[in-house]
Amino acid sequence: MLWNKVDQRWKDRLPKDRDGDVSWKTEQWPVPGEDPLEVRVCTRDKVKVSSFANCNEAPRTSIVLHLTCGYGNFTGLMGGSDHSASAHFLLGRCGTPYLLVPTEYTAWHATWWNNNSIGIEVDNIGGLHPVGDDMCSEYSSKDKKDVYCKKSETDCFLEKTFGGTKYWATLTEAQYAGLGKLVKALCFKHKIPRIIPPDDLRYKAFDKANPKVRQNYRGICTHVNIDPARRADIGPYIDWPKLIAYGGITEADCYNPPDSVAQTWNDPKGGAAAAASGGASGAGAGASGGAGAGASGGAGAGASGGAAGAGASAGASGAEEKLPPPVIIDSHTLKVRVGKRGGRICLSVK
Ligand SMILES: [Zn+2]
């Protein structure tokens, strides 16, 4: 099956230092509280980075997550496509990060959001549709099937309707781990708070007409926020609790980051920092705006993902629980998020 071939191709690249006209050297990037991240720094033979990126250095304030919706083509993200697109990182199916554009420069991955952002392309074929016994990619036509997997191979795709598509190829476990660590390294490097909007706001379109949106946003977002009319990467079809756990990411207001999460870029435990003040699992709770679902989702992710003990400790120490701090979701809404245990309430003020 094709998914198998693609995954194998990424693994086959690991002992090499070149693929086509792209070669790489390794660098070690610091990650707070962990071993450094090995990054493969790529260059294209005879093609200057200035032909597919703006090389004026500028501060980076957000990270945009994408899916390649393709087959992990280096040159296509280093100016090789007909529209000269580029991205800072391509994350292999093996979880290895390949740096295509220096993060100080502006890559061309998200139109009006390019300035001040870092684009990560997670290699994944994207949406699938059933044809007979097969699941086919968007590159299928009537004449030629592009088979990704069998319908029976339910461990490499899932059903989740989003953006008009019903089935999606899954990320590999190595990608979740690799993406989590890459987010940690990038946030540390550029002092970006390791935060993401709660689930109920995560896929909301950004207000393009309001210049303050791009100026004020801090943290992680996805391409679907920036170009919802044309893009569905990345929607609710990935395992967000898992990524949040691996990346030590806190769910918070990214326009006005609360003090409790503003420094998470520097914190080995990320969201756990807010836990110490009573807020971390609260960040999870904020996802649903209610008490139960988000809280248990956050705790479960923390435990199964093995990322720090944020969720686990918050959940286990019932007697010592404190109310989480208020989180301002936008300028009009105040939510006090409270877990599902007795004595805790959920308040939303508009
Ligand atoms: Zn995208």
Side-chain angles (χ1 to χ4, degrees):
M1 287 295 106
L2 196 49
W3 69 272
N4 227 331
K5 283 188 199 158
V6 174
D7 287 7
Q8 191 58 47
R9 191 187 310 146
W10 280 108
K11 285 176 192 152
D12 291 345
R13 280 170 177 150
L14 287 175
K16 299 179 180 163
D17 61 6
R18 166 172 291 277
D19 187 276
D21 69 345
V22 175
S23 61
W24 50 79
K25 295 185 176 129
T26 57
E27 277 183 7
Q28 306 292 324
W29 284 23
V31 177
E34 292 181 24
D35 293 339
L37 172 68
E38 186 169 296
V39 171
R40 294 188 160 194
V41 179
C42 299
T43 48
R44 240 185 113 189
D45 297 345
K46 300 189 185 114
V47 180
K48 287 184 183 163
V49 67
S50 58
S51 70
F52 54 88
N54 178 342
C55 298
N56 296 320
E57 295 192 14
R60 302 292 138 191
T61 50
S62 69
I63 295 173
V64 183
L65 303 180
H66 301 262
L67 295 185
T68 58
C69 295
Y71 295 116
N73 177 348
F74 287 104
T75 53
L77 291 169
M78 298 177 82
S81 67
D82 49 7
H83 45 284
S84 301
S86 58
H88 294 94
F89 274 96
L90 176 58
L91 186 76
R93 302 282 298 172
C94 54
T96 301
Y98 289 81
L99 178 76
L100 313 180
V101 173
T103 54
E104 293 80 3
Y105 298 167
T106 294
W108 299 329
H109 61 100
T111 57
W112 64 285
W113 198 267
N114 284 340
N115 293 344
N116 311 110
S117 70
I118 297 169
I120 302 175
E121 293 276 358
V122 179
D123 194 34
N124 176 284
I125 196 65
L128 300 170
H129 59 273
V131 181
D133 291 337
D134 300 319
M135 299 301 291
C136 295
S137 81
E138 64 180 84
Y139 301 105
S140 280
S141 64
K142 277 200 175 113
D143 309 322
K144 195 171 180 295
K145 277 166 84 173
D146 191 48
V147 177
Y148 182 73
C149 63
K150 290 280 176 199
K151 259 186 193 167
S152 56
E153 292 180 288
T154 50
D155 54 344
C156 58
F157 72 96
L158 57 82
E159 180 179 340
K160 180 82 188 176
T161 299
F162 183 74
T165 297
K166 191 172 176 186
Y167 300 99
W168 298 87
T170 49
L171 274 52
T172 66
E173 189 71 23
Q175 280 181 312
Y176 282 109
L179 184 56
K181 189 152 182 166
L182 178 57
V183 163
K184 286 181 175 175
L186 286 171
C187 288
F188 181 70
K189 183 177 180 189
H190 291 279
K191 298 186 169 58
I192 301 169
R194 217 155 62 226
I195 57 177
I196 195 166
D199 190 60
D200 55 346
L201 298 172
R202 191 166 303 150
Y203 318 108
K204 205 175 160 215
F206 289 155
D207 182 3
K208 193 176 172 182
N210 180 358
K212 295 257 181 209
V213 169
R214 196 171 62 75
Q215 280 171 27
N216 294 349
Y217 193 93
R218 295 290 180 276
I220 301 154
C221 63
T222 82
H223 203 179
V224 75
N225 299 126
I226 295 152
D227 192 0
R230 297 191 307 133
R231 302 290 173 175
D233 61 322
I234 295 178
Y237 47 80
I238 73 160
D239 189 339
W240 285 102
K242 185 177 277 190
L243 175 59
I244 285 167
Y246 272 125
I249 299 164
T250 302
E251 294 173 290
D253 174 8
C254 296
Y255 296 103
N256 302 285
D259 290 346
S260 62
V261 297
Q263 302 297 318
T264 43
W265 58 269
N266 193 27
D267 194 311
K269 290 179 181 168
S277 62
S281 60
S288 62
S296 63
S304 67
S313 61
S317 58
E320 297 166 16
E321 283 176 306
K322 295 174 190 163
L323 286 178
V327 172
I328 299 166
I329 301 298
D330 57 40
S331 58
H332 307 292
T333 310
L334 178 77
K335 286 184 182 175
V336 177
R337 295 171 289 90
V338 183
K340 60 185 171 181
R341 287 167 187 276
R344 305 186 82 180
I345 57 168
C346 180
L347 175 67
S348 180
V349 180
K350 287 197 176 178

